[in-house]
Amino acid sequence: MESTESSYVSSPEAPRRRSSPPPKSPASDTMEKPTYVRFLVSNAAAGSVIGKGGATITDFQSQSGARIQLSRNHEFFPGTTDRIIMVSGSINEILKAVDLILAKLLSELYSEETDDVEPRTKLRLVVPNSSCGGIIGKGGSTIKSFIEGSQAGIKISPQDNNYFGLNDRLVTVTGNLDEQMRAVDLIVSKLSEDPHYTQSMNAPFSYPAAYNAMSYGPPNGTGGKFQNNKEDRSNSVTIGVADSHIGLVVGRGGRTIMEISQASGARIKISDRGDFMSGTTDRKVTITGSQRAIRAAESMILQKVSYASERAME
């Protein structure tokens, strides 16, 4: 069961194994210094990482020597419907734990019989904005060397000003498991050299400020967000979505909007063609329900829209 006391859940901290791993290099100090990595997983994937009664997460902690923590149900990274996993320990412990987690998720997503080609997937790391410069390097030299060294695709999201107080960016690593693990090794080793990065290991993990933002700027096709002036019980919010993106929100035969409504528990109504938010060409999307349901539905809608914008820019 997930704890209600902490923002993050984890099974009891795994006892540190005394048998030290074979040193990768003479400079083993960096390898042993406690650090951490955070990445996103879907709600369903989070369940398989925890396992029945916390059995899987306990096993992974025991095998790796790392500590594994997860954000609670409905505590998502802003603009997504994904939970956050934080893995902490020495670099070797972290790499072992991340490898165990990703291998488990892959085995559940892809059955052995499909084909011999290893699937290429996306892993989204959460990195403080202040530490992204170290990964990029002068003129992009570091990130280029990481891409060459790992053979994985590595992309850093622009800073998202839609969410007031959000100081993290997403570093997307694309490749098969081996490529992703090589990239994670390079990225975490680099991050652990940054004293500011390791200092933020004990910072709070929830993003309350993200949901207090009163407007979403045009970059990902959304207009202003307005709280309706009705009694609080009605909990109705209207956001604007670019006319060209409405099809993504609705889905074929209305399937997507029904799924979002069912998953979030909110009612969603889209204005007719030509009925735009004042001064824009954005259609009105009205979300009604509890505050939690509204937040969940809004995150799902914004995620659909931002993915479309990312693809259009590529």
Side-chain angles (χ1 to χ4, degrees):
M1 288 296 287
E2 294 178 37
S3 160
T4 51
E5 293 163 35
S6 141
S7 301
Y8 270 49
V9 296
S10 72
S11 56
E13 187 160 1
R16 298 281 182 221
R17 292 179 303 169
R18 291 289 159 220
S19 56
S20 55
K24 273 189 162 182
S25 67
S28 58
D29 276 359
T30 321
M31 301 306 291
E32 294 308 316
K33 194 168 61 178
T35 188
Y36 71 98
V37 67
R38 287 180 292 164
F39 57 97
L40 303 187
V41 290
S42 70
N43 225 354
S48 20
V49 173
I50 295 167
K52 197 169 185 179
T56 307
I57 199 172
T58 304
D59 179 43
F60 286 176
Q61 288 189 121
S62 152
Q63 283 191 58
S64 64
R67 189 178 186 204
I68 304 168
Q69 298 167 277
L70 279 103
S71 65
R72 288 185 306 186
N73 214 345
H74 300 299
E75 288 185 343
F76 302 133
F77 185 82
T80 75
T81 53
D82 292 325
R83 287 163 73 177
I84 307 136
I85 291 189
M86 175 167 156
V87 181
S88 51
S90 70
I91 291 177
N92 283 334
E93 289 167 340
I94 287 171
L95 293 174
K96 175 72 175 163
V98 173
D99 192 34
L100 287 166
I101 292 167
L102 296 184
K104 172 149 182 78
L105 297 181
L106 269 177
S107 71
E108 293 189 358
L109 273 176
Y110 302 93
S111 62
E112 303 285 325
E113 309 86 58
T114 46
D115 53 34
D116 296 327
V117 182
E118 266 202 273
R120 288 177 67 81
T121 57
K122 283 187 179 182
L123 171 67
R124 287 181 298 163
L125 306 176
V126 179
V127 176
N129 186 44
S130 57
S131 301
C132 285
I135 300 173
I136 295 165
K138 196 170 185 179
S141 58
T142 306
I143 197 168
K144 280 177 193 161
S145 74
F146 285 180
I147 291 167
E148 284 168 17
S150 65
Q151 295 299 298
I154 305 172
K155 279 178 73 173
I156 300 180
S157 69
Q159 194 169 8
D160 192 346
N161 296 319
N162 290 343
Y163 296 99
F164 175 74
L166 176 60
N167 298 313
D168 290 325
R169 285 157 79 174
L170 293 178
V171 177
T172 303
V173 179
T174 310
N176 62 33
L177 183 56
D178 285 346
E179 291 163 349
Q180 286 179 334
M181 288 310 303
R182 284 198 294 270
V184 170
D185 189 352
L186 292 165
I187 291 167
V188 176
S189 300
K190 185 71 183 171
L191 288 171
S192 68
E193 294 168 10
D194 175 0
H196 297 294
Y197 180 75
T198 43
Q199 274 169 19
S200 62
M201 193 152 85
N202 300 316
F205 299 105
S206 55
Y207 295 93
Y211 296 123
N212 297 332
M214 283 313 290
S215 67
Y216 297 104
N220 48 0
T222 58
K225 178 179 100 176
F226 303 98
Q227 187 75 37
N228 287 2
N229 294 325
K230 291 182 181 176
E231 283 184 79
D232 220 26
R233 280 196 306 273
S234 66
N235 285 332
S236 184
V237 162
T238 300
I239 62 173
V241 172
D243 203 26
S244 56
H245 290 150
I246 283 292
L248 291 167
V249 177
V250 175
R252 185 171 288 178
R255 184 176 167 184
T256 305
I257 199 167
M258 278 169 62
E259 284 173 355
I260 293 173
S261 184
Q262 284 169 358
S264 64
R267 291 194 306 281
I268 304 164
K269 187 181 175 189
I270 295 174
S271 64
D272 296 332
R273 280 179 188 276
D275 182 4
F276 299 130
M277 294 191 81
S278 179
T280 73
T281 54
D282 292 341
R283 299 267 287 280
K284 299 173 191 169
V285 179
T286 303
I287 310 166
T288 309
S290 69
Q291 287 188 342
R292 177 175 279 180
I294 289 172
R295 281 206 303 264
E298 191 178 352
S299 287
M300 292 180 210
I301 291 167
L302 291 174
Q303 189 179 28
K304 291 275 177 201
V305 170
S306 64
Y307 279 169
S309 302
E310 277 174 27
R311 282 202 300 270
M313 286 165 70
E314 284 174 0

